[in-house]
Amino acid sequence: MADEQNDPLFPNPQVVITQPSAGQVMTSGYFSIKGYDGSIWVNAYKVLSDNTLELLGGSVTPGGYWEVPVFFTDGSYTICVGLESNMSERVTFSVRVAFTVPRITLPRDEEIDISQPFTVGGTATPGFRVRIMTQGGWHDFGLSEPAARDGSWSKTLDIRNLPDTITIQAAHDAHGQWSEARTFRLRASKPIIQFPENGDITDVKGRISGAGGVSGAIVEVLKDFEHSFKIGEGDVGANGEWNVTRFVMDMPPGPFSIVARQIVGTVPSDVSEVRSFKIRPPALTAVTTSYPTETSLKFSGSGHTGATVQITVESGPEGAAPPDVVVTVGRWETTATNWPFGTYNLKAIQKVPDNANGWIESLPYSFTVEHRLPDPSDIKFTPEYQPTFSGKGSDGATVKIANPGGSTFPAPNALVSAGKWSSQASQVWGPTFKRNVYFRQFLDGQQSREWIELTVTIPPLAPVFGPVQEDGFSPKFSGTCWLNAFVELTFSDAPTTKHPATVTGTNWSFQRGTPFAPDVPHTVTVTQIAAEQTSPPASPTFTVYTPMLKPIITHPEPDSEVGRDVTKVGQDGIAGA
């Protein structure tokens, strides 16, 4: 079957435009190009300045009538309708839109939740955009989409970083008159505190978090009834959750209540519902232990002023815990008495009242104390060849005295009585130079902390001086000394000349080759060197006498007869005798 629309025997009727008519002024940008006849389908075209065609749309032509909806702004236009083989005559017309003043009718409520999208809307000239600005023009929200054919329009405004009250107006872009102003009050929604929960126990900088925030806002956490007391703040994430990450002030130990508010741009919300919980004081970080007496221990340290410090014995020998103590100006101390020696495992806390006849306790601080037998003290020795050691100790304890290495013992064990002890060396030591001796006390299976070292130095005694043996003008000197000591003599008539003696075992002897002047006193000084030390001197005095000669009578001769008065003459007499 032949196509009648394209058959030359059946030519297409001429396409005719009935609206707009030539020279017609359209008062709305929205209208339809209408006409009749043509093919099953017709296209509407706008004739451009270079005589080319711009397609406006197409329409089916049932019954020979057609209609193409279009939109034009103000101006003069030429159009034609049809297909390439069947085009209407060209029609020139103009558009002079009668603009109406825009109106802002939405939202009806003047209280705006800034956490929700803020969409304004109203009526305006169909097909034209509306510009929305704050009254006075200090903030431009931009243009809406073109108003619909019924004149309705809407736009979602970005109201972040704006004051909490704004007044806006609308106008057609570049087409003059502004709408009546609408004033809106911006309000941020209250955030929700989720942690800690009511009645929880947390720390002075414990976790605080929640939900219900506006992405990008800041949530502040404040003390209830004292909003100038700011605990801290945090940023709201994309899902509305928030967490305090910047702390400003510690929450004080004890019962405590907080509220939260969020600030969106510059707009603060009302505060949230109150959340009440308990703040525990910080855990102690160190405890100092000292020993005022053998059976008492003093504990001390720093803490939270006003808190009560409590020490508990977790394990160890029998011993009552020290009394609780209140921290004053950041410091505390308490003393335990009558504690047996041994190892104690202790726990220390500080606590504050919860205002409900209970306590809020810190986390525990655990520590170990070795309450050991004290070291023997005030240890002394006598500088004798067989020294005696003495000192102070714990009543009933046994003090052991050891050589280096601890396997041999130079003196018997000593029992402490009335806080004192003493023990004499088991053997004669003689002269001693820097010999180390070690002391430790033991009691009921306990021992003092360490071996206490004592360095012993015993100088040699002065050598013993025996009787001077006469031998003319050079007598013999002798005596006793320490075994194999070095013995040295000096004499008053030559004090710078030193003479070593002959030492055999514990005996020494000496005879000077130079004779001494007779009949005048002389002093001999004798010292001995043993254990790297020189003894005190022995300094006896002696005198060498001229020998007593036997006088010889030279007159009268032996057996000669003499008278009653006779003078005797002789030799080898001693003057003055």
Side-chain angles (χ1 to χ4, degrees):
M1 180 177 180
D3 186 350
E4 295 182 357
Q5 294 295 328
N6 297 305
D7 191 336
L9 298 176
F10 302 94
N12 291 326
Q14 178 68 39
V15 178
V16 177
I17 299 173
T18 61
Q19 179 182 297
S21 59
Q24 184 176 356
V25 178
M26 308 299 290
T27 58
S28 173
Y30 280 110
F31 60 91
S32 292
I33 301 173
K34 298 179 181 181
Y36 61 87
D37 287 339
S39 302
I40 296 174
W41 181 271
V42 296
N43 290 328
Y45 297 93
K46 180 170 68 173
V47 182
L48 303 180
S49 59
D50 60 358
N51 209 37
T52 59
L53 302 180
E54 178 185 309
L55 179 64
L56 298 174
S59 176
V60 180
T61 60
Y65 292 93
W66 48 263
E67 180 177 333
V68 179
V70 293
F71 173 76
F72 286 90
T73 59
D74 282 13
S76 180
Y77 303 95
T78 299
I79 60 173
C80 62
V81 177
L83 297 174
E84 291 182 3
S85 60
N86 185 13
M87 193 69 67
S88 71
E89 295 182 356
R90 297 186 176 188
V91 174
T92 300
F93 66 98
S94 62
V95 176
R96 297 289 183 267
V97 175
F99 284 93
T100 60
V101 178
R103 295 178 62 208
I104 301 173
T105 59
L106 297 174
R108 293 183 176 86
D109 193 353
E110 294 182 348
E111 193 91 359
I112 302 302
D113 184 352
I114 199 171
S115 64
Q116 302 299 320
F118 179 37
T119 300
V120 296
T123 59
T125 302
F128 289 87
R129 297 175 183 271
V130 173
R131 181 173 295 279
I132 303 98
M133 300 184 72
T134 55
Q135 191 175 46
W138 55 268
H139 187 83
D140 186 350
F141 293 101
L143 292 169
S144 71
E145 293 299 316
R149 297 188 72 147
D150 64 357
S152 62
W153 63 271
S154 66
K155 180 174 177 56
T156 299
L157 307 186
D158 182 357
I159 54 176
R160 293 174 298 177
N161 303 316
L162 294 180
D164 57 3
T165 300
I166 58 171
T167 300
I168 62 174
Q169 292 178 285
H172 290 111
D173 190 34
H175 286 279
Q177 191 172 357
W178 288 93
S179 69
E180 291 185 3
R182 288 285 307 277
T183 298
F184 299 96
R185 291 183 296 276
L186 308 183
R187 292 290 180 266
S189 58
K190 296 186 293 185
I192 301 169
I193 301 173
Q194 295 178 319
F195 190 88
E197 295 185 359
N198 283 316
D200 276 358
I201 297 177
T202 187
D203 298 308
V204 296
K205 280 188 173 69
R207 172 189 164 199
I208 304 174
S209 61
V214 177
S215 178
I218 294 175
V219 171
E220 295 181 326
V221 176
L222 315 169
K223 181 180 179 182
D224 189 28
F225 294 119
E226 189 180 338
H227 295 174
S228 61
F229 190 116
K230 181 178 178 179
I231 291 98
E233 64 182 27
D235 300 321
V236 180
N239 58 0
E241 294 182 349
W242 55 271
N243 185 60
V244 173
T245 57
R246 299 180 291 276
F247 281 89
V248 177
M249 299 179 72
D250 289 349
M251 294 180 287
F256 198 69
S257 297
I258 61 172
V259 293
R261 69 181 175 200
Q262 67 174 323
I263 300 174
V264 184
T266 60
V267 178
S269 72
D270 292 333
V271 296
S272 68
E273 299 299 320
V274 176
R275 186 60 60 97
S276 298
F277 45 89
K278 300 174 183 179
I279 306 298
R280 59 185 160 220
L284 299 176
T285 57
V287 175
T288 300
T289 306
S290 59
Y291 303 86
T293 67
E294 288 186 4
T295 60
S296 65
L297 290 82
K298 184 170 75 172
F299 304 97
S300 61
S302 58
H304 176 73
T305 298
T308 297
V309 173
Q310 180 184 64
I311 296 177
T312 304
V313 179
E314 299 285 285
S315 66
E318 294 182 1
D324 295 354
V325 61
V326 176
V327 181
T328 304
V329 196
R331 299 293 302 174
W332 62 270
E333 65 177 44
T334 183
T335 300
T337 58
N338 299 319
W339 273 23
F341 298 116
T343 301
Y344 292 81
N345 292 313
L346 307 175
K347 180 182 74 175
I349 63 167
Q350 54 180 341
K351 57 186 183 179
V352 295
D354 66 357
N355 296 342
N357 297 320
W359 295 95
I360 305 170
E361 297 183 354
S362 72
L363 295 175
Y365 171 77
S366 297
F367 62 106
T368 299
V369 170
E370 295 286 345
H371 182 34
R372 304 184 66 171
L373 194 64
D375 297 324
S377 61
D378 199 22
I379 302 174
K380 301 175 182 178
F381 68 92
T382 57
E384 302 168 340
Y385 281 0
Q386 188 171 359
T388 296
F389 303 99
S390 62
K392 296 179 180 179
S394 302
D395 283 348
T398 296
V399 176
K400 291 186 177 182
I401 305 166
N403 288 315
S407 59
T408 60
F409 305 92
N413 295 342
L415 183 65
V416 181
S417 177
K420 297 180 180 181
W421 59 270
S422 68
S423 177
Q424 187 178 37
S426 302
Q427 297 177 347
V428 174
W429 288 16
T432 303
F433 184 70
K434 294 184 177 179
R435 175 175 174 176
N436 291 332
V437 187
Y438 297 87
F439 302 82
R440 200 172 199 172
Q441 64 176 340
F442 299 79
L443 177 64
D444 297 334
Q446 300 290 323
Q447 61 185 20
S448 57
R449 295 179 180 275
E450 57 187 356
W451 289 97
I452 302 302
E453 183 181 86
L454 177 70
T455 300
V456 177
T457 295
I458 302 172
L461 302 175
V464 176
F465 206 98
V468 178
Q469 183 180 351
E470 294 184 6
D471 190 6
F473 293 111
S474 185
K476 295 178 180 178
F477 305 95
S478 62
T480 58
C481 62
W482 186 252
L483 181 65
N484 297 325
F486 178 79
V487 178
E488 195 171 56
L489 299 85
T490 58
F491 297 96
S492 56
D493 63 349
T496 61
T497 302
K498 297 181 179 181
H499 306 278
T502 300
V503 177
T504 304
T506 58
N507 297 305
W508 65 270
S509 61
F510 176 75
Q511 184 176 23
R512 194 172 79 169
T514 303
F516 295 92
D519 306 323
V520 293
H522 298 274
T523 300
V524 57
T525 299
V526 185
T527 58
Q528 63 175 329
I529 298 174
E532 302 183 46
Q533 302 169 83
T534 301
S535 71
S539 300
T541 299
F542 68 94
T543 302
V544 176
Y545 294 99
T546 301
M548 297 289 289
L549 298 178
K550 182 178 180 180
I552 300 174
I553 300 174
T554 60
H555 180 79
E557 293 290 337
D559 299 329
S560 61
E561 294 184 1
V562 295
R564 186 180 297 245
D565 296 321
V566 62
T567 300
K568 295 178 180 179
V569 179
Q571 62 182 27
D572 293 339
I574 297 175

